[in-house]
Amino acid sequence: MSDLTETAAKLMDCRKDGLGGRPAAGEDPAKREQILDGAQRVFMRVGFDAASMNDITREAGVSKGTLYVYFKNKEDLFAAIIQRKKSLVFERLKQIVDADKSVAETLYEFGITFGMHLLSEDAIRGQRIVIGVIDRMPELADNFFKFGPNTGPVLLANYLARQVELGRLKPIDDAMYTSRQIGDLCMAGLYRPRLFGEMQEPPPREKVERNVEWAVRLFMNTYGTDKS
């Protein structure tokens, strides 16, 4: 390796890993996860408005200087927590739609996974937090509710469109609208009581399964084909 090439490689390593072979400031994934874990515990415990950056530094076990290297404010932190949770759920849902199973089986597993997540304690608390600040911070709510390419409803809509092309489903006028309808059917009678506190605990899995089974049967009776 020439001196010039070796020098360039060392500069690249410094940018990537920081001095001494350690991650550069703000680029240590483990530290970032540590901060997010601490922030999530604080938000879930006291809510968004009552949470302070001091509370989060104590809970995460980092200095305030370190915290601000990774996140500029608590809005940034909360948005990152939302995105992390969405990414984890999305990966599980993607595995389901990518598996070689029948349409009914895929929709059933998708509905169970999505429903159990949406009705979980963390998800419900997060949604309540967003609802509480939506008038003052619409951008935070937009980040929570927006349908990007890496979200469950879009993933399901794309799956439905592919199944129509393969002849496994009858034509669907609006795959995105239908995707949302399936989600609503899977959560019928469960989501609103859970969100607004009438249902204090997440429903048992058997109840979610019964809901999803009914929703899938209704959908397949409408759109199913012999190839389904």
Side-chain angles (χ1 to χ4, degrees), residues 93 106-116 186-187 208 212:
L93 295 175
T106 300
L107 293 179
Y108 180 78
E109 291 185 20
F110 192 101
I112 294 295
T113 301
F114 188 73
M116 294 299 292
C186 289
M187 297 298 97
V208 178
V212 173

Side-chain angles (χ1 to χ4, degrees), residues 21 85 103 211 223:
K85 194 69 173 178
V103 176
N211 253 39
Y223 292 103

Side-chain angles (χ1 to χ4, degrees), residues 26 47 62 69-71 80 86 89 101 105 130 139-140 151-152 158 163 178 184 195 204 214:
V62 298
V69 165
Y70 288 83
F71 302 99
K86 277 188 174 183
V89 176
K101 295 186 178 182
E105 287 177 304
V130 171
E139 69 283 354
L140 188 63
T151 59
N158 291 335
Q163 301 314 303
T178 304
D184 289 344
L195 181 63
W214 174 83

Side-chain angles (χ1 to χ4, degrees), residues 28-100:
D28 184 349
K31 182 65 67 177
R32 187 176 190 275
E33 290 297 303
Q34 178 183 338
I35 294 171
L36 288 176
D37 287 341
Q40 180 171 322
R41 289 192 295 270
V42 173
F43 287 135
M44 294 301 105
R45 186 167 64 240
V46 303
F48 181 83
D49 284 331
S52 71
M53 295 298 264
N54 285 333
D55 294 332
I56 293 169
T57 57
R58 285 193 295 269
E59 185 71 32
V62 298
S63 68
K64 187 174 287 188
T66 298
L67 178 62
Y68 281 111
V69 165
Y70 288 83
F71 302 99
K72 58 185 179 181
N73 50 41
K74 67 177 182 178
E75 289 83 0
D76 192 26
L77 261 167
F78 191 71
I81 290 170
I82 292 171
Q83 189 54 51
R84 180 175 69 164
K85 194 69 173 178
K86 277 188 174 183
S87 296
L88 291 173
V89 176
F90 176 81
E91 287 304 316
R92 293 201 295 268
L93 295 175
K94 190 174 186 304
Q95 291 173 5
I96 292 171
V97 300
D98 287 344
D100 187 19

Side-chain angles (χ1 to χ4, degrees), residues 170-186:
K170 296 174 184 177
I172 297 174
D173 292 334
D174 188 332
M176 188 64 206
Y177 182 75
T178 304
S179 168
R180 294 182 184 181
Q181 281 187 318
I182 294 173
D184 289 344
L185 286 172
C186 289

Side-chain angles (χ1 to χ4, degrees), residues 149-220:
N150 294 334
T151 59
V154 174
L155 182 67
L156 183 57
N158 291 335
Y159 171 79
L160 295 176
R162 288 199 306 272
Q163 301 314 303
V164 170
E165 292 175 357
L166 294 171
R168 295 173 181 168
L169 291 175
K170 296 174 184 177
I172 297 174
D173 292 334
D174 188 332
M176 188 64 206
Y177 182 75
T178 304
S179 168
R180 294 182 184 181
Q181 281 187 318
I182 294 173
D184 289 344
L185 286 172
C186 289
M187 297 298 97
L190 299 177
Y191 178 67
R192 288 183 181 177
R194 184 79 180 95
L195 181 63
F196 294 108
E198 180 184 342
M199 186 185 297
Q200 294 292 324
E201 301 290 335
R205 182 182 176 91
E206 295 76 23
K207 184 171 288 190
V208 178
E209 289 175 345
R210 188 164 58 249
N211 253 39
V212 173
E213 183 179 354
W214 174 83
V216 171
R217 186 186 307 120
L218 185 63
F219 175 83
M220 296 305 296

